[in-house]
Amino acid sequence: MVDIWSKEKRSLVMSKIKGKDTLPERLLRSLLHKKGFRFRKNVKRLPGKPDIVLPKYRLVIFVHGCFWHLHKNCYDGRIPKSNISYWKFKLQANVKRDKNNVQLLKKAGWKVIRFWECEIEKSEQKTIEKINKIAPK
Ligand SMILES: [Zn+2]
């Protein structure tokens, strides 16, 4: 069976351990900072431990790793071809948990924006537009 990733790519993906700062997260934070938004990061007391929280706008932002959260139609969001059932179970559980956390947050009156890592990497403009819609500056 052919692995969908090169060795390099796989180790890159595997090194993106959940909860750790990823490059897109850092990009997003510096973008928010540049635009003058005030935010807190890794807020543990909220469901899903959101990566970024803008208290003024009661807005929660998640940055989802394409691999760990199964980004549809994304190269990085594919289930590996080896240990399929293991990965399917694990990754689909993440997606389920995400949905549940969003529901809990919304019920508590939070607005939620979810970014995919590849989305942030692709366009700074679109990223900030998505935020401005909910948190006008
Ligand atoms: Zn993606």
Side-chain angles (χ1 to χ4, degrees):
M1 196 168 284
V2 183
D3 197 349
I4 58 164
W5 286 319
S6 66
K7 247 189 193 159
E8 293 72 31
K9 175 73 187 167
R10 175 171 298 281
S11 56
L12 177 77
V13 169
M14 298 306 164
S15 71
K16 287 182 180 174
I17 295 160
K18 278 198 299 172
K20 231 177 154 189
D21 265 9
T22 59
L23 179 63
E25 265 177 62
R26 292 204 301 272
L27 283 173
L28 180 58
R29 282 207 303 267
S30 75
L31 189 60
L32 286 169
H33 190 76
K34 218 163 57 184
K35 300 284 177 189
F37 285 107
R38 313 225 13 186
F39 57 89
R40 283 190 221 134
K41 60 174 200 167
N42 305 326
V43 180
K44 294 196 174 65
R45 63 183 177 81
L46 287 176
K49 296 180 197 139
D51 304 305
I52 295 168
V53 174
L54 282 71
K56 187 179 161 190
Y57 298 96
R58 217 168 160 73
L59 170 63
V60 158
I61 300 176
F62 288 103
V63 180
H64 286 330
C66 298
F67 175 73
W68 293 108
H69 301 265
L70 281 181
H71 189 193
K72 281 201 180 83
N73 303 317
C74 172
Y75 183 85
D76 287 337
R78 295 192 289 176
I79 292 172
K81 295 278 188 234
S82 50
N83 293 321
I84 292 178
S85 50
Y86 165 80
W87 284 113
K88 239 188 184 168
F89 178 80
K90 188 178 174 67
L91 298 175
Q92 283 172 352
N94 286 345
V95 173
K96 222 168 159 186
R97 206 175 305 126
D98 292 340
K99 272 192 194 148
N100 194 35
N101 287 331
V102 169
Q103 272 175 5
L104 288 172
L105 285 162
K106 284 188 173 165
K107 247 185 223 162
W110 290 90
K111 287 166 217 139
V112 180
I113 296 179
R114 298 159 80 190
F115 280 110
W116 295 103
E117 287 187 339
C118 65
E119 208 181 344
I120 294 171
E121 280 166 349
K122 235 178 263 165
S123 170
E124 184 174 306
Q125 186 60 32
K126 278 191 185 143
T127 299
I128 204 70
E129 273 169 16
K130 203 163 160 178
I131 293 164
N132 274 333
K133 245 189 235 166
I134 294 183
K137 263 272 150 179

